[in-house]
Amino acid sequence: MSKSLQAIRGMNDILPEQTPLWRYFEGTVARLLDNYGYRQIRMPIVEFTELFKRSIGEVTDIVEKEMYTFDDRNGDSLTLRPEGTAACVRAVLEHGITGGGQVQKLWYIGPMFRHERPQKGRYRQFHQIGLEVFNLEGPDIDAELIVMTWRLWGELGLRDAVKLELNSLGTSESRGRYREALVEFLSAHLDKLDEDSQRRLKTNPLRVLDTKNADTQAVLVDAPKMADYLDDESRAHFEGLKARLDAVGIPYVINPKLVRGLDYYSKTVFEWVTDKLGAQGTVCAGGRYDGLVEQMGGKPTPGVGFAMGIERLVLMLEALDKVPEELSRQVDVYLCAFGEAAELAALSLSERIRDQLPNLRLQINAGAGSFKSQFKKADKSGALYALILGDDELAQQVVGFKPLRGQGEQQSIAWDALAAHLATCVVQG
Ligand code: ATP
Ligand code: MG
């Protein structure tokens, strides 16, 4: 096939075989967030490039090398969103919904775009569910975010496969003092740092902590620790968070090297990581960004949020065999009709049944093929029952009711009694 008729590298179709699992995952998260009182917000996929530069930070992987940026026909520089926080902050400011200290607990879902090297768990169009909370500054809300994800892992059967890593980056003042100490230390070991880290030392020194380079990691063993530079307020905040996680019984490890790739974080940062996905091990990540709203032109507004990668979590459900059994069956009842008159009757009968059983998954395959081929399709659909409507059944106003999964013999059921009968034998979700 010519290249222009193929999907763009790193941007995937999600095929009908895969969508049930996606919908199960998305539905589980949406229900959970609803139950905790979070409300959905939907932002555009494209924003002014400047928005991301200002919020994410010029010297970050995303802004330096991962954004899909283009000029539109007016000559404005636009960017396909690489993450959701920037647009969400833009939206709440634009609509004034965090003004006067108003609390907002918001969540969003949708595609994000980053020009990275595609591999398992890393794509150029990927999907996140994220949430942002504005105007709550205490550690209780940081804890709520983590507690919710912990519940989610429980519902999905993933608790044993994920680990929580935590760190505190302090306020911008204490982080500034730490940055100075770190730069001084690293400058004294400049020749032992990898090239990327040497560059980052000048532009974004905290990111050196993030390095994958073994030599640089060895140098970092003796580097100053953020924990020793934390201001009292950040320290108390961090202790408050840990106490709440302990109270709920959520295990965590403190990772002093966890700095996250974006500039806007302060105080709490956290990641849920797994060893089940190879190198792409972070499934959910977030933290507090108390300075961001002000930095973007709003009043000082505390904020905290996270985002999880849907592809990685779907991969995990598959890898750990946590795909619910019932997803393999998308049809409850399959109606086969034979002959023109029976077909018409089948259509109106099926609509009557749908009126009475709106959740019934009923597929009608009127007129297509022989009895045998229709029956094969009914069986292949995974349906529990086939309904058969031919000339004889039509004359008697009945249907043949045939269990397809070995639950008894075929019987004849009057049209008027059909909905009631189906209600007793198909468990509806
Ligand atoms: P990584 O370190 O894996 O690059 P990140 O720190 O860049 O992740 P965030 O910006 O925090 O990621 O995004 C939150 C989550 O979104 C990640 O934890 C991950 O699950 C998912 N994610 C990020 N980038 C991608 C991608 N290119 N493909 C698939 N999922 C991704
Ligand atoms: Mg990344």
Side-chain angles (χ1 to χ4, degrees):
M1 206 189 287
S2 89
K3 193 172 172 221
S4 62
L5 291 181
Q6 291 174 13
I8 295 165
R9 199 163 109 84
M11 303 199 180
N12 300 313
D13 299 306
I14 299 158
L15 295 173
E17 286 70 36
Q18 304 166 292
T19 49
L21 183 55
W22 279 67
R23 292 177 63 183
Y24 158 72
F25 174 75
E26 292 165 356
T28 305
V29 182
R31 189 166 23 78
L32 184 98
L33 295 175
D34 285 346
N35 291 350
Y36 276 84
Y38 287 68
R39 298 186 303 160
Q40 193 185 18
I41 182 170
R42 302 187 184 198
M43 298 85 67
I45 285 170
V46 188
E47 300 271 354
F48 287 118
T49 304
E50 194 53 32
L51 175 74
F52 300 114
K53 287 193 178 167
R54 263 180 67 178
S55 57
I56 297 170
E58 298 262 6
V59 194
T60 56
D61 283 352
I62 292 182
V63 172
E64 279 183 337
K65 49 192 185 202
E66 295 176 358
M67 293 206 302
Y68 279 90
T69 295
F70 60 96
D71 286 345
D72 81 352
R73 286 170 195 276
N74 304 330
D76 290 323
S77 179
L78 307 183
T79 293
L80 300 182
R81 63 181 183 192
E83 52 105 60
T85 305
C88 189
V89 169
R90 197 257 322 128
V92 298
L93 282 179
E94 190 165 338
H95 300 284
I97 59 173
T98 52
Q102 255 184 99
V103 171
Q104 292 290 347
K105 295 182 165 187
L106 306 172
W107 69 277
Y108 56 82
I109 179 170
M112 307 291 161
F113 302 85
R114 298 184 194 176
H115 198 275
E116 305 195 68
R117 193 168 71 77
Q119 53 201 289
K120 183 181 166 199
R122 189 175 295 286
Y123 311 99
R124 290 181 173 173
Q125 173 173 332
F126 61 100
H127 299 78
Q128 286 183 339
I129 297 181
L131 67 78
E132 318 291 346
V133 178
F134 298 99
N135 283 318
L136 289 175
E137 60 187 352
D140 51 331
I141 191 69
D142 304 27
E144 177 170 283
L145 262 49
I146 292 171
V147 168
M148 279 195 301
T149 47
W150 178 244
R151 175 165 299 280
L152 177 64
W153 313 142
E155 283 187 25
L156 297 171
L158 298 178
R159 266 192 193 167
D160 293 341
V162 289
K163 198 177 75 179
L164 175 62
E165 298 195 351
L166 283 183
N167 193 19
S168 175
L169 301 178
T171 57
S172 63
E173 296 78 47
S174 58
R175 199 162 55 255
R177 281 199 304 279
Y178 173 62
R179 188 182 295 121
E180 269 173 38
L182 184 67
V183 168
E184 194 180 306
F185 172 86
L186 292 175
S187 303
H189 299 84
L190 195 60
D191 51 328
K192 296 195 209 83
L193 303 183
D194 62 283
E195 217 174 289
D196 246 5
S197 297
Q198 293 190 1
R199 190 174 54 83
R200 282 182 174 153
L201 182 58
K202 299 204 190 69
T203 54
N204 194 347
L206 291 191
R207 291 301 309 284
V208 176
L209 298 176
D210 221 13
T211 183
K212 303 269 184 298
N213 182 284
D215 296 333
T216 306
Q217 280 177 345
V219 173
L220 286 171
V221 171
D222 298 318
K225 301 276 178 292
M226 180 69 222
D228 299 325
Y229 290 78
L230 277 191
D231 51 289
D232 291 345
E233 188 198 323
S234 300
R235 195 185 307 274
H237 187 100
F238 201 36
E239 291 307 318
L241 169 60
K242 287 190 276 184
R244 284 168 175 85
L245 299 180
D246 291 338
V248 184
I250 301 179
Y252 54 83
V253 292
I254 308 292
N255 176 358
K257 298 213 181 91
L258 183 64
V259 290
R260 311 274 308 117
L262 301 85
D263 269 359
Y264 50 57
Y265 288 109
S266 58
K267 291 186 179 158
T268 310
V269 287
F270 67 90
E271 288 192 356
W272 286 101
V273 296
T274 179
D275 57 9
K276 311 290 181 208
L277 294 178
Q280 273 50 254
T282 306
V283 292
C284 175
R288 183 162 277 285
Y289 47 84
D290 289 343
L292 179 62
V293 174
E294 194 180 5
Q295 180 188 315
M296 288 173 62
K299 297 225 166 61
T301 305
V304 58
F306 68 66
M308 54 185 127
I310 302 182
E311 281 83 355
R312 291 184 194 179
L313 284 157
V314 164
L315 279 170
M316 249 183 108
L317 290 170
E318 287 169 341
L320 297 172
D321 219 0
K322 299 292 182 189
V323 180
E325 177 73 38
E326 64 268 21
L327 295 186
S328 59
R329 191 168 61 78
Q330 302 291 319
V331 181
D332 299 318
V333 178
Y334 196 102
L335 200 167
C336 313
F338 304 94
E340 256 173 61
E343 241 182 70
L344 282 181
L347 177 60
S348 66
L349 177 63
S350 65
E351 288 306 307
R352 263 169 61 198
I353 297 172
R354 288 185 212 277
D355 284 342
Q356 293 173 66
L357 302 173
N359 291 327
L360 185 75
R361 296 176 301 178
L362 169 65
Q363 192 170 323
I364 176 166
N365 196 27
S370 67
F371 183 80
K372 206 171 146 197
S373 83
Q374 281 211 36
F375 226 75
K376 254 199 196 137
K377 283 183 197 153
D379 194 44
K380 221 177 136 203
S381 75
L384 295 173
Y385 303 97
L387 303 179
I388 299 143
L389 214 172
D391 289 337
D392 293 349
E393 287 83 7
L394 179 60
Q396 297 171 46
Q397 307 237 316
V398 297
V399 292
F401 180 90
K402 183 171 170 53
L404 292 172
R405 312 281 149 214
Q407 322 92 315
E409 292 299 302
Q410 179 169 333
Q411 41 180 317
S412 188
I413 300 198
W415 291 353
D416 287 341
L418 185 55
H421 185 75
L422 286 172
T424 62
C425 48
V426 180
V427 184
Q428 293 181 56

